[in-house]
Amino acid sequence: MLCPKCRNEMEEVSVREVVIDRCKSCHGLWFDHGEPEALNESWVSEFLDVGDPTIGQRHDENDTVGCPRCGVIMRHHYSVDARLHFECCDEHGRFFDAGEFTRWAEATYLAGD
C-alpha cells in the first residue's frame, strides 16, 4: 500500500493482533475501521506514532487525499479545538499524519490519566 499523503511505501506494524500500516517516509498511520479504538493504551501511541509532528502538520495542507484502499477522496475530520485534523474514508478507515494519533488517543482515552 502507498501512503495517501506522500505516496511512499507503507509497512505493516503489529500491535497485539492488530496490524497498522505506517509510512516508511512521513510516518503517517493508516487504521482500518475499529483499529484505533482497539489500541487505547498510552504506550501504543508512543510505539506507533514515531514521526515528527511538525512534518505531519505540513501534510495537513493537502486537502485532496485519496483513501489508500479505494482511492475515493477522504473527508477531513477536525476536533473542536482544531489541534487535530485527520482524514476519514467512510468505507475503509482513517489516516493520521505524524503526531495526530497521539493527540487523538490523548483526547479520546487519556484525558483522565
Side-chain angles (χ1 to χ4, degrees), residues 1 10 12-13 17-22 29-39 67-70 74 87-96 101 104:
M1 176 169 27
M10 297 186 81
E12 292 184 344
V13 180
E17 295 182 18
V18 178
V19 178
I20 306 304
D21 298 285
R22 180 171 56 202
L29 299 166
W30 173 259
F31 291 88
D32 293 325
H33 284 303
E35 289 178 338
E37 295 80 9
L39 302 173
C67 170
R69 300 266 188 236
C70 67
M74 293 188 280
E87 291 76 28
C88 299
C89 172
D90 292 334
E91 181 80 18
H92 296 105
R94 295 179 227 174
F95 184 81
F96 294 93
F101 178 63
W104 178 87

Side-chain angles (χ1 to χ4, degrees), residues 10-11 24 38 41 47 65 71 73 81 94 97 99 106:
M10 297 186 81
E11 63 184 342
K24 291 181 177 182
E41 297 173 75
F47 174 74
V65 180
I73 300 301
D81 66 3
R94 295 179 227 174
D97 292 307
E106 288 171 351

Side-chain angles (χ1 to χ4, degrees), residues 1-10 23 25-30 55-68 74-78 85-88 94-98 100 103:
M1 176 169 27
L2 295 179
C3 176
K5 291 287 182 97
C6 72
R7 307 303 299 160
N8 284 292
E9 188 177 334
M10 297 186 81
C23 179
S25 180
C26 73
H27 297 103
L29 299 166
W30 173 259
I55 293 171
Q57 287 177 335
R58 281 193 293 235
H59 282 288
D60 279 342
E61 296 171 11
N62 184 353
D63 61 357
T64 53
V65 180
C67 170
M74 293 188 280
R75 64 183 171 84
H76 297 276
H77 176 83
Y78 299 91
H85 165 241
F86 59 91
E87 291 76 28
C88 299
R94 295 179 227 174
F95 184 81
F96 294 93
D97 292 307
E100 291 176 343
R103 288 195 305 275

Side-chain angles (χ1 to χ4, degrees), residues 38-59:
L39 302 173
N40 61 3
E41 297 173 75
S42 60
W43 68 268
V44 174
S45 64
E46 294 169 10
F47 174 74
L48 288 174
D49 202 356
V50 297
D52 182 346
T54 304
I55 293 171
Q57 287 177 335
R58 281 193 293 235
H59 282 288

